[in-house]
Amino acid sequence: MRKFHSPSCDTCSARLDSVFCDLHEDDVEKISEYKHCNLYLKGQTIFNEGNHPTGLFCINKGRVKLSQTGFEGKEQIIRLAKDGDVMGYRSLISGEPYSASATVLEDSRICIIPKSIFYDLIKNNAALTGKIMKLLANDLKFAQNKITNLAQKPVIERLAETLLMLKEYYGMKENEPYLNITITREEIANIVGTATETAIRLLSELRKEGILELEGKKIKIIKSEALLKLANLYD
């Protein structure tokens, strides 16, 4: 982990896409004064499952996965995060240890707001509290859907849905028609909830059917409609 020049909150473009987008100028200055920022390199851990929270993590720039350790130490990716997203809020609010670990997928700039400052903000700002409550509600909804999908959806449907989610969440690269995220086959499997070998086989089948193009870790979606049909996401 290397330190770097800390970005200012009032000029941070990621803040405008975060729960802090509507904060008063005084609150923005307060965060900027007390936060600290670090550069995390690909593969580094930001915080570990089971550790006690010390602050709120905000992604200034980068890609992060949040994962839990399951049966026999297998990783299950439960959430992906990008610029403007915040992490660790559930543990801060509940006072419990982190229920997941956060690991960097690509070199990332992460800002940390001290716990005491976060508490002051939600205590005195009803709008921010409402945004955090909405995040918690969305987390619960996502978890419920995940449980249902794992129990009822075939692996190919879950894989197709995951690829569409990655496209919607991260978009496409500016100069290349590929998903705007570098992700391994193992990580895809850990999102889907299957074995890496199964994910590799199914991705290869989708490539043979002309639905995807694969180049190393790069994934290009050729036929979005076919993926939608496979994911069984039509109304």
Side-chain angles (χ1 to χ4, degrees):
M1 183 176 62
R2 300 199 307 253
K3 291 190 175 182
F4 69 108
H5 180 67
S6 178
S8 175
C9 292
D10 60 347
T11 58
C12 175
S13 59
R15 181 179 66 82
L16 301 180
D17 294 322
S18 77
V19 294
F20 301 118
C21 60
D22 296 323
L23 282 184
H24 297 300
E25 184 177 339
D26 290 346
D27 288 332
V28 174
E29 291 179 358
K30 186 175 184 179
I31 293 175
S32 197
E33 179 182 358
Y34 288 99
K35 79 176 191 311
H36 63 277
C37 299
N38 291 311
L39 172 64
Y40 290 83
L41 303 182
K42 179 180 177 180
Q44 285 190 306
T45 298
I46 301 170
F47 57 80
N48 283 301
E49 181 178 356
N51 286 357
H52 289 278
T54 58
L56 184 73
F57 293 84
C58 309
I59 303 178
N60 172 257
K61 182 72 175 177
R63 306 281 190 268
V64 177
K65 65 178 179 181
L66 289 98
S67 59
Q68 292 179 329
T69 303
F71 183 67
E72 294 185 345
K74 180 174 174 56
E75 177 188 67
Q76 176 67 53
I77 296 177
I78 59 173
R79 181 186 161 206
L80 295 171
K82 58 180 176 58
D83 304 2
D85 286 346
V86 293
M87 304 176 293
Y89 48 88
R90 282 182 293 170
S91 294
L92 281 175
I93 292 171
S94 67
E96 298 176 347
Y98 293 122
S99 59
S101 298
T103 307
V104 173
L105 290 171
E106 300 174 5
D107 293 357
S108 301
R109 299 192 298 266
I110 310 293
C111 298
I112 303 95
I113 300 173
K115 179 165 59 176
S116 60
I117 302 300
F118 175 70
Y119 286 161
D120 284 343
L121 288 171
I122 59 174
K123 179 181 178 181
N124 298 309
N125 191 310
L128 176 61
T129 302
K131 291 179 186 294
I132 296 295
M133 289 176 65
K134 186 175 180 180
L135 285 180
L136 292 169
N138 287 338
D139 286 344
L140 179 58
K141 178 182 177 181
F142 181 82
Q144 290 172 334
N145 290 339
K146 186 78 171 182
I147 291 170
T148 301
N149 287 346
L150 287 172
Q152 299 181 3
K153 273 196 168 188
V155 177
I156 186 62
E157 290 187 12
R158 303 203 306 267
L159 174 61
E161 187 173 351
T162 294
L163 293 171
L164 290 169
M165 179 272 292
L166 291 173
K167 179 182 178 182
E168 179 181 358
Y169 194 62
Y170 289 115
M172 310 299 288
K173 291 184 179 294
E174 289 186 10
N175 301 318
E176 298 180 295
Y178 294 95
L179 294 177
N180 191 25
I181 181 173
T182 302
I183 189 166
T184 67
R185 302 295 187 263
E186 182 180 8
E187 287 165 339
I188 290 175
N190 291 341
I191 297 173
V192 174
T194 190
T196 303
E197 295 77 8
T198 301
I200 291 172
R201 176 176 57 80
L202 292 176
L203 285 169
S204 179
E205 290 179 6
L206 294 177
R207 178 184 60 79
K208 290 177 182 177
E209 293 173 12
I211 296 174
L212 303 176
E213 282 186 11
L214 306 173
E215 182 183 333
K217 295 178 183 178
K218 296 180 180 180
I219 299 175
K220 179 181 179 181
I221 297 176
I222 305 298
K223 299 178 180 178
S224 295
E225 287 295 316
L227 268 188
L228 277 169
K229 186 176 181 179
L230 275 176
N232 196 20
L233 293 177
Y234 287 109
D235 293 334

